[in-house]
Structures are given as C-alpha cells and as structure tokens.
Amino acid sequence: MLKNKFKILAVAMSLTFVGSLFVGCGNSKSGTSSNGKSTIKVNIGAEPRTIDPGLNNSVEGAQVICNAFEGLTNLDKNEKPIPGVAEKWDISSNGLTYTFHLRKNAKWSDGKAVTAKDFEYAWKRALNPKTASQYAYQLFYLKNGEAYNEGKSKEDQVGVTAKDDYTLVATLENPTPYFLSLTSFPTYDPVRKDAVEKNPTSWATKPDTYISDGPYKLVEYKSKDSLNFEKNSDYWNSKNIKIDRIEFKTLENASSYYAAFKTGELDLIDKPPATETPNLLKNGTAKAYPYLATYYYDMNLSPQAKSINPDAAKALSDIRVRKALNLAIDRTSITKEVTKSGEIPATSFVPKGTSDSNGEEFTNKEYLPKTADIPQAKKLLAEAGYPGGKGFPQMEILYNTMQGHQNIAQAIQDMWKKNLGINVTLKNVERKVHLAQLQNHQFMLGRDGWTADYNDAMTFLDMFTTGNGNNMTGYSNTKYDQLIAQAKAEPDKAKRASLMHQAEDQLMIDLPIIPIYYYTEVVCMNPKLKDAHISNLGFFIFRDAHLDK
C-alpha cells in the first residue's frame, strides 16, 4: 500500500517537474515554436558522454550524431546503404578495394567543402591508439587498421587514402559483405582536422566548434537539459530537410518523460513506463519496432576485479558460479511481469532477427532456459563451494538511472535470494558515471545492452575479443579470439557463419555475461510527426521527417 502511494506521489512530482522544465520552450503541442519554425522535441534518455563521432559508443550519443553528421553512405528505411556524401562507388572484383566518389556540393556547417581528406583523417584518428576510441576495432576491417592501433604499423600504411579532394580509396584486410553499411556508422563519419585539433577535448561541446556535415547543426548545448540543433543550410540536400529544429532532451526518469509526452511537451520518446506499455501498444499510442539488441549483465572478469572485491572476483572466476547465476533467473517472468513490452527472453547472446550474412537468421540455438533451472543452479553453486549460498561474497549490481533498469535489478536480486540464497545490493548512478565505471572495470555485476551496428552476427560477437574497447567484462579466451579472426578472414559465407556459431558456442560456455532479453523498441510519437526513421539499429533518423499540418 505504501509503495502504491509513493508511486502516485512520484508521478505527481514528476508532472510538476516537467511542467517547470519546459517553460519558455515554445508550443511543441502544435509542432511549431514561437518563431514559426517547425520544431520537434525528442527524448534520448540521458545526456551523452560525448557526441564526438570518433569517441562515442553509446546509443544516446549516436542518436545525436546520426542527425548531425553524414558518412559516405546513409541507411534507407529498409536499413540498406544508399549514397550519402559519396554519390557513387566502385568495388574491385576481389572485394578488397572500395573507391568512393564524393559529392562536390557536400559542405560542412561552416560552408567549407567536405573532402576525402576529412574521411581519411577521421578514420586514422579513431584508429590512433592515442585517441583511445573504444570503437577503434570497427575500423580493423581496413588494411593494417588493427596493426596501426596496436603500434605495429605506421599511419601511412592504413588502408584509406584520399586520392584527391573527391576520391577516397579504402583497402580492406578481407572481403567484408557489410562494409557499405559500416560506412554509415558514426565512427566512419568525417571530422575536420582543424576543428578537432584546435580544441581536442572540448570541440564537441560547443556550437561554435562542433562543425558537422549532416542535416542539422548544433546551436545550443544545455548540460543536463538538452542538445538543440537547427537545420544546416549548408547541407548538400538542405532543400529536402523539412524539420527546422530538433531539441534532444535528456530526461532519464520514465515517469517524467512519459508525462511530458502526454502533455505534448515531447514529440517522441522510447521505453515508456512498463506499467503503461501494454495499454499504449493496445490503443496505438505506442508502436513496437524491430530492434537488433540484447539486454544483459556483465560479470567483471578483468584483473581490476581483484582490487575492487577479491572475494567476489574469486567467485566470478569460477564458471560454475557464472552458470548458476544465469540459470537462477526466470527470463520469461522478467519479460512478462517486469518489462511488459514484448521483449523475448534471451537464451543466447545474438538476438533473433540478426543475419548470418549467408541469407539465414543467425540465432538458432538456446543455450539458456527461458525459465529458471533452480535445481541445476543450486547444484553448481554448491559444487563451487557455496552450498545454499553459504559463504557467498557480497556483490553489487551497477545500473544507470532509469526505472526500468531498477525494476529488472530488483527482480534479479529477489530471484538470486530466493533461488540461490545469495544477497546482492543495487547501485544506481547517472549514465555518464555508469559508462565510465563499466569501461574502467569498476564494478562486479553491471547492467549493459548492445545494439547492432550493422545487421550481421559479427557486430555482437567481435566485441568480446581480448582487449576490445567495448568488452566491459575483461573476458579473454584465445580460442574465441582465433574463431573471430578466422570468421573475419573467411570469404565463404557458409564457413564464416559456422565459425561465428563456434565463437558463440565458446562465449556461452564461458558465460562472462548474463543475457536477459532481446529488446523491442517501443516508441510513442506525435501523430503529426511523419517519416521519422526508427532504425532497427537503435537510431532515430529525421532526414526525411516532416510535420503534418
């Protein structure tokens, strides 16, 4: 009873907060601000840690970048690569050399021409080990890309060259069937050398220095509030951009941003409160979109774990403990009773709907049960020296601020207590802190999620290779590394798919992670907002969007 009363009070407080938050922001209810410009307000769920294309590795940052920048290619509404800055390209018969021909009318937001040199600089910058880009591995497809990143090759040996201002030549290590899709990904976006190097640590935080080449340019950066963009009049296709202004709001509390949507102060939100979602889907206020993404927990297997909690590190180093923690979770219960948005219990890591690049769906195995296997979980925990949970060290689940994450963490906390007799505590931090602690391995159990960068199983598997910037677990297995390397070098699609399956087999034997569910993307959108592209890669793309009068 007290919980229900508190919830009502919290919603009332959030409505008051939202009302004060948007005072003076213009009339979003009509899709038009007071100055007559068509404006939409989009919630991205948290303030991005960075909106630097070469450094970002979060969905929040990507939501902004994909509207501010444009790569060699764009994705159409079927997620297929189409011309972007490159108006055409040639591919060599062996699939190793791509020659991109850039538009001569492509310009930066300050009016200067976008050139092939801007792409060459951006790609080599992301690969440079001094940059410390956690997405550097996404450019290892380039000839000598990985070698340069590891200090084993020189910059001028990397397989990307500006032949002239409007011709970029990319040479790959191996044929890569999804390379054109990769060139639409933020890490492959161009950045201007003069803008970056003049303000290397702050260029992506100020409108005067955040020079971009896409449909929108930054005009205001209000920390902990919003990132505001306006139409880039110098964009080569600006005449077809119909939305004049986008305000990316950074509300993390689901009750708050849902309340703002209901009052018309937000035009687009995703992940509405779980208690509201079934009715929102039923009455058409919300829509579930395809989404290639997995929600999971990391287990810290890195050397740093011992300095944080030696006893917990010892327990997690035992594969029987990791498997017991996995088996003690009722994933079906979480999706039906906690998240309630049509999610699918995750019995593997690569989600349903992901391609194997051989014309088939990759996910065809169930490594974990959809409901808890309590007897087996108890047996494994006892074999590891913790019968009935006795002597099991105290651990903490780290998650970022959002009611949904808290609800899931509480459900898992209860399941582990009931099913295994172990106690874990919960730690809630803001998104920037959460990302930093995951990346620095300053946790024992951490909430995580991964969205595909392109539609191929490799995007879910290669990040668990040793030393990968997005491998938050610190997991390292030589056999796994070799399988991923072989798959990337294998030209035969069937053999490549087989190698990737073997890699996932190994990952799910070692279990450095706790897969929980495959996402759905539930979005509430102003019915006046038309042709916004809700990508299955997690992006909201407004290049073709318009407001219905």
Side-chain angles (χ1 to χ4, degrees):
M1 194 69 176
L2 285 172
K3 288 183 179 179
N4 288 338
K5 285 183 178 179
F6 181 79
K7 184 175 181 181
I8 292 169
L9 176 62
V11 172
M13 290 176 68
S14 70
L15 283 166
T16 302
F17 166 72
V18 170
S20 64
L21 180 69
F22 286 96
V23 169
C25 285
N27 182 13
S28 179
K29 295 177 184 178
S30 65
T32 304
S33 64
S34 58
N35 60 8
K37 291 185 176 181
S38 58
T39 299
I40 59 172
K41 298 186 175 96
V42 178
N43 193 57
I44 56 175
E47 182 172 351
R49 184 177 63 87
T50 180
I51 53 172
D52 180 332
L55 296 180
N56 175 68
N57 72 334
S58 74
V59 172
E60 301 88 28
Q63 297 286 28
V64 174
I65 294 167
C66 70
N67 289 286
F69 284 83
E70 182 170 87
L72 294 166
T73 59
N74 288 315
L75 294 180
D76 67 13
K77 291 187 177 181
N78 297 312
E79 314 297 344
K80 302 297 183 185
I82 58 174
V85 174
E87 59 184 355
K88 60 182 180 179
W89 48 82
D90 305 309
I91 306 173
S92 64
S93 58
N94 62 5
L96 293 177
T97 303
Y98 288 68
T99 302
F100 296 94
H101 305 281
L102 277 58
R103 302 176 187 276
K104 294 184 179 180
N105 61 339
K107 294 181 180 179
W108 292 99
S109 52
D110 64 355
K112 293 185 179 180
V114 178
T115 71
K117 293 176 183 177
D118 298 323
F119 284 92
E120 180 180 353
Y121 168 74
W123 296 8
K124 289 179 176 178
R125 171 182 177 250
L127 282 169
N128 189 327
K130 293 180 181 179
T131 305
S133 170
Q134 289 170 306
Y135 253 127
Y137 73 93
Q138 206 64 286
L139 292 145
F140 288 178
Y141 297 97
L142 298 175
K143 187 74 174 178
N144 293 320
E146 184 173 10
Y148 173 53
N149 183 253
E150 294 178 350
K152 299 175 182 178
S153 180
K154 295 180 179 180
E155 181 181 297
D156 60 7
Q157 294 175 307
V158 174
V160 56
T161 304
K163 189 174 179 182
D164 56 47
D165 281 351
Y166 301 103
T167 309
L168 184 77
V169 179
T171 306
L172 310 186
E173 287 279 0
N174 302 288
T176 304
Y178 45 84
F179 185 69
L180 287 176
S181 294
L182 273 173
T183 58
S184 70
F185 190 72
T187 314
Y188 279 81
D189 285 343
V191 293
R192 267 249 305 275
K193 182 177 181 179
D194 62 323
V196 173
E197 296 191 353
K198 186 177 181 180
N199 303 281
T201 60
S202 63
W203 78 276
T205 63
K206 302 173 183 177
D208 290 345
T209 55
Y210 193 64
I211 298 170
S212 60
D213 74 320
Y216 294 93
K217 63 180 181 181
L218 181 66
V219 293
E220 294 174 291
Y221 194 127
K222 299 180 179 180
S223 184
K224 299 186 183 299
D225 180 8
S226 64
L227 290 78
N228 300 330
F229 285 75
E230 291 187 355
K231 179 177 174 178
N232 174 15
S233 60
D234 285 304
Y235 176 56
W236 67 268
N237 197 27
S238 64
K239 67 179 181 180
N240 289 317
I241 304 302
K242 301 297 191 296
I243 302 295
D244 294 309
R245 180 179 172 95
I246 305 174
E247 297 181 5
F248 292 103
K249 300 294 181 179
T250 59
L251 292 170
E252 297 186 37
N253 183 280
S255 296
S256 296
Y257 61 68
Y258 174 57
F261 176 78
K262 287 200 298 181
T263 58
E265 302 297 347
L266 285 172
D267 296 292
L268 189 153
I269 65 169
D270 67 345
K271 303 174 182 64
T275 53
E276 304 287 347
T277 299
N279 283 334
L280 292 173
L281 290 169
K282 186 176 180 180
N283 66 30
T285 301
K287 180 179 178 181
Y289 291 84
Y291 197 19
L292 301 180
T294 300
Y295 189 105
Y296 63 101
Y297 281 2
D298 294 306
M299 290 184 270
N300 190 352
L301 308 184
S302 73
Q304 292 94 314
K306 293 180 182 179
S307 63
I308 299 170
N309 187 332
D311 293 335
K314 180 181 178 182
L316 291 181
S317 70
D318 192 320
I319 192 170
R320 295 169 296 187
V321 170
R322 302 199 297 273
K323 191 167 185 179
L325 293 175
N326 265 282
L327 293 176
I329 295 175
D330 186 339
R331 292 163 173 80
T332 297
S333 174
I334 289 174
T335 57
K336 286 188 175 181
E337 299 175 19
V338 181
T339 57
K340 302 179 183 179
S341 299
E343 295 87 354
I344 300 171
T347 57
S348 62
F349 184 65
V350 180
K352 300 282 187 181
T354 307
S355 172
D356 68 352
S357 77
N358 191 37
E360 303 289 339
E361 180 172 321
F362 181 83
T363 302
N364 59 12
K365 293 184 181 181
E366 294 191 352
Y367 298 93
L368 297 166
K370 293 179 181 178
T371 57
D373 185 344
I374 299 171
Q376 181 65 7
K378 286 183 173 180
K379 179 175 181 290
L380 288 166
L381 197 65
E383 289 176 359
Y386 308 103
K390 185 177 180 181
F392 195 82
Q394 187 71 50
M395 291 193 195
E396 180 180 78
I397 298 175
L398 175 74
Y399 65 95
N400 58 295
T401 302
M402 191 171 280
Q403 188 62 47
H405 300 323
Q406 179 174 316
N407 294 344
I408 293 167
Q410 288 175 338
I412 291 175
Q413 180 187 45
D414 292 343
M415 289 175 188
W416 283 344
K417 175 65 175 176
K418 178 181 177 181
N419 299 339
L420 295 177
I422 66 174
N423 295 302
V424 296
T425 58
L426 309 181
K427 183 180 180 181
N428 167 30
V429 296
E430 67 174 15
R431 180 62 163 154
K432 284 186 177 181
V433 175
H434 172 247
L435 284 172
Q437 292 190 352
L438 288 182
Q439 289 161 0
N440 295 321
H441 307 295
Q442 296 175 336
F443 71 98
M444 294 312 302
L445 300 163
R447 197 244 18 130
D448 212 340
W450 190 254
T451 304
D453 299 331
Y454 46 91
N455 189 1
D456 187 277
M458 186 60 77
T459 188
F460 289 93
L461 297 174
D462 64 354
M463 70 174 175
F464 289 107
T465 53
T466 301
N468 186 290
N470 287 314
N471 181 359
M472 310 306 186
T473 68
Y475 170 67
S476 178
N477 183 303
T478 302
K479 180 181 177 182
Y480 185 84
D481 294 346
Q482 291 173 345
L483 287 166
I484 293 298
Q486 290 169 16
K488 287 187 172 182
E490 178 54 63
D492 183 280
K493 291 183 178 180
K495 291 180 181 178
R496 177 180 180 274
S498 175
L499 288 164
M500 289 195 294
H501 277 296
Q502 292 175 55
E504 189 177 35
D505 289 346
Q506 188 64 55
L507 181 70
M508 298 305 291
I509 288 171
D510 294 339
L511 282 176
I513 51 175
I514 303 173
I516 299 172
Y517 61 76
Y518 308 134
Y519 281 90
T520 54
E521 178 67 299
V522 177
V523 173
C524 298
M525 193 186 308
N526 181 344
K528 292 183 179 180
L529 179 56
K530 305 294 186 181
D531 294 329
H533 179 194
I534 310 300
S535 170
N536 65 9
L537 305 181
F539 304 146
F540 303 151
I541 301 173
F542 300 106
R543 185 177 64 244
D544 299 319
H546 61 94
L547 284 165
D548 190 339
K549 296 180 181 180

